[in-house]
């Protein structure tokens, strides 16, 4: 039984021998509905007025498959593939779409505000430096050994206009191994003695560094024992200056210096052998110009003339050598001043202070063996270093205590010059006195 409508051409769909495909055939069994006019659509605020954009999906004519029965799918608006504005994310006009030449319809973004970026970057950098500085301050402050109590010193001279420091290098071997003692030629003597002493006066008129030879002839005055609290009366004993330290430590040394000079000491700072050498090594060495070479078996010194960089071991040998010189202790004190000034000049620089990779090792190397008075803070230590740096830079005077002669092998100070020197420092006057 044939169900196809009458008049159907049975050859349709069976192919033909023609080179062109079959043409459109009218199928009489399909009845098309008449087209109904579309109802007027109200304007939509999310669609731009005017002709559609030139890119994306072309608009569909009325009556197409996208509009049926008054339903608009929105396909022909370009919202799926993007629009000049308000397009969907990911399209050429959307927030996530690529921008650049050949992409019309999107306004170029504003140029980067470099001034604002530099300002923000500067604020971040400064904040990081402030945090680092504050952190370093509290860390270093906790490491300082404030063990010297100057309130125990009695009968003190009047205060002057300058800030004075008594700087002491001791031969303490505290914390050193047997190998380190051998390497640094320190020996293994028990206890500790002063190996160098100097007064640093920080004044507005100029800084002054005065070395006190340890063989200086001085009188031990009355004093209060730093440990016993007992008062010992003056007996007129005359000894070498370093004997005062050996007898009752820093407090008696300060008392003896003040009594024999008439100059009040505001702060005390002491460092041992190990700390001294470690600071130099942490800085990567200290550059120094040695005018004349010398050699000394006791200290381990072996230097040739000329500019050179000294490591910790060499630096310690340089400041301790005395037997290689005709002037003995006087020449040694000059070398000590020269070296400490060079050390301060290289330590008190922005490249060291502002660089935590340099600052932390330097502080960590020296603070463990640095002993100061109870009232001395990190600010005072900084002032001390910068004052020494100023002396090295020509802003001040470097000298030995004026010597007038000897008594029993001890060096006798020139009283008249010492009094004039002390008066100039007390009154913050330019120092004109010169020592040996």
């Amino acid at each position: 039984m044939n169900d196809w409508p009458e008049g159907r051409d049975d050859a349709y769909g069976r192919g033909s021998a023609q080179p062109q495909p079959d043409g459109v055939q009218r199928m009489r069994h399909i009845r098309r509905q008449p087209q109904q006019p579309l109802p007027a659509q109200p304007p939509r605020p999310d669609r731009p007025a005017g002709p559609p954009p030139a890119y994306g999906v072309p608009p569909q004519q009325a009556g197409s498959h996208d509009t049926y029965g008054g339903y608009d799918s929105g396909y022909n608006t370009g919202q799926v593939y993007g629009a000049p504005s308000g397009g969907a994310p990911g399209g050429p006009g959307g927030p996530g779409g690529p921008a650049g030449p050949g992409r019309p319809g999107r306004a170029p973004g504003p140029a980067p505000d470099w001034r604002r970026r530099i300002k923000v970057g500067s604020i971040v950098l400064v904040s990081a430096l402030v945090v680092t500085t504050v952190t370093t301050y509290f860390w270093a402050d906790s490491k300082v050994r404030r063990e010297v109590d100057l309130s125990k010193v009695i009968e003190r001279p009047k205060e002057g206009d300058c800030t004075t420091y008594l700087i002491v290098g001791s031969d303490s071997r505290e914390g050193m191994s047997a190998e380190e003692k051998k390497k640094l030629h320190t020996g293994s003597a028990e206890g500790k003695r002063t190996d160098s002493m100097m007064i640093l006066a920080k004044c507005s008129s100029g800084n002054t560094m005065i070395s006190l030879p340890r063989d200086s002839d001085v009188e031990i005055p009355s004093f209060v024992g730093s440990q016993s609290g007992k008062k010992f009366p003056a007996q007129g004993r005359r000894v070498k200056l370093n004997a005062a330290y050996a007898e009752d430590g820093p407090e008696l040394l300060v008392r003896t210096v003040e009594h024999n000079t008439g100059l009040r000491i505001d702060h005390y700072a002491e460092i041992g052998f190990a700390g001294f050498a470690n600071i130099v090594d942490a800085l990567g060495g200290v550059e120094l110009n040695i005018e004349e070479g010398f050699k000394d078996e006791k200290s381990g010194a072996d230097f040739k003339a000329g500019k050179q960089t000294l490591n910790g071991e060499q630096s310690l040998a340089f400041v301790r050598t005395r037997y290689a010189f005709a002037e003995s202790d006087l020449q040694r004190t000059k070398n000590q001043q020269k070296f400490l000034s060079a050390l301060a000049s290289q330590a008190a620089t922005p490249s060291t202070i502002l660089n935590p990779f340099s600052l932390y090792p330097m502080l960590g190397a020296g603070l463990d063996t640095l002993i100061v008075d109870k009232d001395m803070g990190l600010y005072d230590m900084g002032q001390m270093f910068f004052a020494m740096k100023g002396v090295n830079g020509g802003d001040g005077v470097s000298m030995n205590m004026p010597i007038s002669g000897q008594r029993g092998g001890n060096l006798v100070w020139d009283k008249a010059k010492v009094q004039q020197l002390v008066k100039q420092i007390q009154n913050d006057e330019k120092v004109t006195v010169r020592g040996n």
Side-chain angles (χ1 to χ4, degrees):
M1 179 177 178
N2 190 353
D3 293 333
W4 288 96
E6 295 180 2
R8 176 182 178 277
D9 187 355
D10 291 339
Y12 185 81
R14 297 179 182 179
S16 68
Q18 299 299 324
Q20 300 295 329
D22 293 338
V24 177
Q25 301 293 327
R26 178 182 178 85
M27 302 181 70
R28 289 186 295 271
H29 67 286
I30 301 299
R31 301 179 183 276
R32 293 181 178 273
Q33 298 294 331
Q35 296 287 341
Q36 299 294 330
L38 294 173
Q41 298 292 326
R44 292 178 59 172
D46 60 338
R47 297 185 182 180
Y55 60 86
V57 178
Q60 306 297 312
Q61 296 183 1
S64 67
H65 64 277
D66 276 342
T67 306
Y68 181 79
Y71 172 74
D72 187 351
S73 68
Y75 184 79
N76 66 337
T77 66
Q79 291 195 24
V80 174
Y81 292 91
S85 62
R103 298 272 184 188
R106 178 174 182 176
D113 189 349
W114 290 108
R115 289 185 178 181
R116 182 175 181 276
R117 292 185 179 184
I118 292 174
K119 182 178 180 181
V120 172
S122 300
I123 293 174
V124 172
L125 178 61
V126 171
S127 299
L129 288 175
V130 170
V131 171
T132 301
T133 302
V134 172
T135 303
T136 302
Y137 179 89
F138 285 105
W139 169 78
D141 190 70
S142 66
K143 300 273 287 182
V144 175
R145 298 170 58 180
R146 296 183 176 89
E147 300 176 2
V148 180
D149 189 357
L150 295 183
S151 66
K152 296 179 180 180
V153 180
I154 62 174
E155 302 175 17
R156 311 196 66 186
K158 67 176 182 178
E159 293 186 3
D161 295 331
C162 301
T163 302
T164 55
Y165 302 82
L166 180 59
I167 304 172
V168 175
S170 76
D171 64 359
S172 171
R173 297 147 178 91
E174 181 180 358
M176 296 177 64
S177 64
E179 182 179 351
E180 289 174 326
K181 293 176 183 178
K182 182 178 180 180
K183 177 183 177 182
L184 298 177
H185 300 270
T186 64
S188 300
E190 296 297 329
K192 60 181 181 179
R193 287 155 294 278
T194 54
D195 206 61
S196 62
M197 293 163 284
M198 61 186 67
I199 295 173
L200 174 66
K202 180 182 177 299
C203 309
S204 59
S205 59
N207 304 319
T208 303
M209 186 180 292
I210 311 163
S211 287
L212 308 176
R214 68 177 189 176
D215 293 339
S216 297
D217 186 82
V218 295
E219 179 186 12
I220 298 292
S222 60
F223 68 97
V224 174
S226 59
Q227 301 297 324
S228 65
K230 179 182 176 182
K231 185 173 182 179
F232 296 88
Q235 299 175 357
R237 291 187 295 133
R238 302 200 69 87
V239 297
K240 293 182 179 180
L241 181 59
N242 63 343
Y245 182 95
E247 187 172 331
D248 198 50
E251 287 85 359
L252 180 54
L253 178 61
V254 171
R255 168 70 174 132
T256 303
V257 170
E258 289 187 343
H259 174 76
N260 286 269
T261 63
L263 184 67
R264 185 184 181 97
I265 300 299
D266 296 311
H267 293 293
Y268 177 92
E270 173 192 326
I271 191 166
F273 282 162
F276 180 83
N278 290 340
I279 288 177
V280 174
D281 286 335
L283 284 173
V286 173
E287 188 178 69
L288 201 67
N289 184 32
I290 300 177
E291 288 82 5
E292 186 176 349
F294 60 90
K295 187 175 183 179
D296 180 37
E297 293 184 0
K298 291 184 178 295
S299 66
D302 187 3
F303 299 104
K304 295 181 179 180
K307 184 177 291 186
Q308 50 204 286
T309 299
L310 277 58
N311 60 24
E313 178 184 351
Q314 294 169 325
S315 300
L316 192 57
F318 180 81
V319 299
R320 294 186 63 220
T321 298
R322 61 183 301 194
Y323 297 106
F325 310 120
E327 294 181 293
S328 188
D329 205 37
L330 291 178
Q331 181 59 45
R332 183 173 71 158
T333 56
K334 293 177 182 178
N335 286 346
Q336 291 169 349
Q337 287 185 355
K338 179 178 181 178
F339 184 87
L340 285 180
S341 296
L343 173 65
S345 295
Q346 295 179 46
T349 59
S351 61
T352 299
I353 296 175
L354 299 180
N355 183 0
F357 296 102
S358 299
L359 181 62
Y360 276 91
M362 184 188 73
L363 292 176
L367 288 178
D368 285 339
T369 60
L370 180 65
I371 299 174
V372 300
D373 64 271
K374 293 183 179 297
D375 295 327
M376 190 170 184
L378 291 178
Y379 175 80
D380 301 303
M381 296 181 205
Q383 293 294 301
M384 180 182 71
F385 266 93
F386 278 103
M388 286 193 292
K389 179 180 180 180
V391 171
N392 185 62
D395 182 22
V397 177
S398 178
M399 58 185 289
N400 274 321
M401 185 64 82
I403 304 296
S404 62
Q406 294 189 15
R407 180 189 295 123
N410 296 348
L411 300 175
V412 179
W413 294 350
D414 188 322
K415 290 185 178 180
K417 287 186 176 181
V418 170
Q419 289 176 357
Q420 183 183 359
L421 174 62
V422 169
K423 182 179 178 181
Q424 290 175 341
I425 293 175
Q426 287 177 332
N427 297 331
D428 197 356
E429 300 173 355
K430 184 177 180 61
V431 172
T432 59
V433 178
R434 294 295 180 265
N436 299 74

